[in-house]
Amino acid sequence: MSTAEKRDETIQTMSENLAAFAVDREDLKLLLATLPEDDTIKTVTVEYELQILKIISAGWAVSVYMDGKKEKDALAERFWLIIREFSKTLSETLHLTTGADVDYFETLKQRFDTYLAAIKKAGKGEPTQAVGPEFARLCDCPDNPFVTLNGARIFHLTVTAVQEYVAAVTIVPEST
């Protein structure tokens, strides 16, 4: 079996690529299309929570799959700085369009803590098994298997994509 050649990327490029992936909505649309028509499922809430879960899953995966690498902290910091700027822009846009004061980055931090607590509470095993039910609970559909599955899927797909990306890259110094 041959292995694909790794490509050289800087921490800056990696953080930009990971952040762009985290906020991309194409896979969210595909998952939303799998939901059955059901008056008890608030698709707007599910979509909102899917985006949050995708972003924090990408950030979590950076920490997990870069563990032991000297560049982990720098990559995580730059990733979260980009996400903070994205959140600031989104919060400002929401304020201008709806008048609501929303701190999207604070919401991300709260959800991160919520999912981390669910994973810790579940103990050993696959984190996806804890994330799916927690996602459904946050969507006010705790007993809906379709919503649970969508949360588990976006988590699994996101962390797998980040794991594969990190494995395919050789980190090189920034050019001066």
Side-chain angles (χ1 to χ4, degrees):
M1 176 191 264
S2 66
T3 28
E5 192 172 317
K6 289 188 172 194
R7 64 183 178 272
D8 294 345
E9 290 190 8
T10 63
I11 293 286
Q12 185 63 37
T13 300
M14 285 183 73
S15 61
E16 290 168 358
N17 290 342
L18 287 165
F21 166 71
V23 301
D24 182 76
R25 303 178 57 76
E26 288 307 309
D27 49 355
L28 305 183
K29 293 175 189 174
L30 295 173
L31 287 175
L32 287 168
T34 67
L35 291 175
E37 293 211 19
D38 182 342
D39 292 340
T40 63
I41 299 174
K42 299 173 190 143
T43 54
V44 171
T45 302
V46 173
E47 182 176 11
Y48 176 78
E49 293 294 340
L50 278 171
Q51 181 68 74
I52 290 171
L53 181 54
K54 185 177 180 189
I55 292 168
I56 63 176
S57 297
W60 180 81
V62 165
S63 294
V64 170
Y65 296 114
M66 291 289 293
D67 197 34
K69 295 184 181 177
K70 66 181 181 182
E71 302 90 355
K72 172 185 156 183
D73 290 341
L75 179 60
E77 181 180 351
R78 288 190 186 177
F79 170 82
W80 287 112
L81 285 172
I82 294 168
I83 295 301
R84 181 183 287 274
E85 279 304 309
F86 167 80
S87 299
K88 181 180 174 192
T89 301
L90 183 59
S91 295
E92 289 169 355
T93 302
L94 284 169
H95 180 72
L96 290 173
T97 57
T98 67
D101 285 326
V102 176
D103 185 342
Y104 194 73
F105 195 74
E106 185 61 33
T107 300
L108 290 172
K109 290 191 316 189
Q110 289 170 356
R111 289 296 191 278
F112 188 89
D113 291 343
T114 299
Y115 284 112
L116 197 55
I119 291 168
K120 285 181 180 179
K121 183 179 177 185
K124 295 186 180 194
E126 177 60 39
T128 305
Q129 294 173 349
V131 170
E134 188 62 25
F135 173 80
R137 186 189 69 75
L138 290 166
C139 292
D140 294 324
C141 298
D143 299 319
N144 189 299
F146 296 102
V147 175
T148 302
L149 186 57
N150 269 321
R153 279 182 180 161
I154 198 65
F155 177 77
H156 176 74
L157 292 170
T158 302
V159 297
T160 300
V162 171
Q163 179 185 26
E164 290 172 356
Y165 176 69
V166 166
V169 169
T170 298
I171 301 171
V172 297
E174 305 284 332
S175 40
T176 53

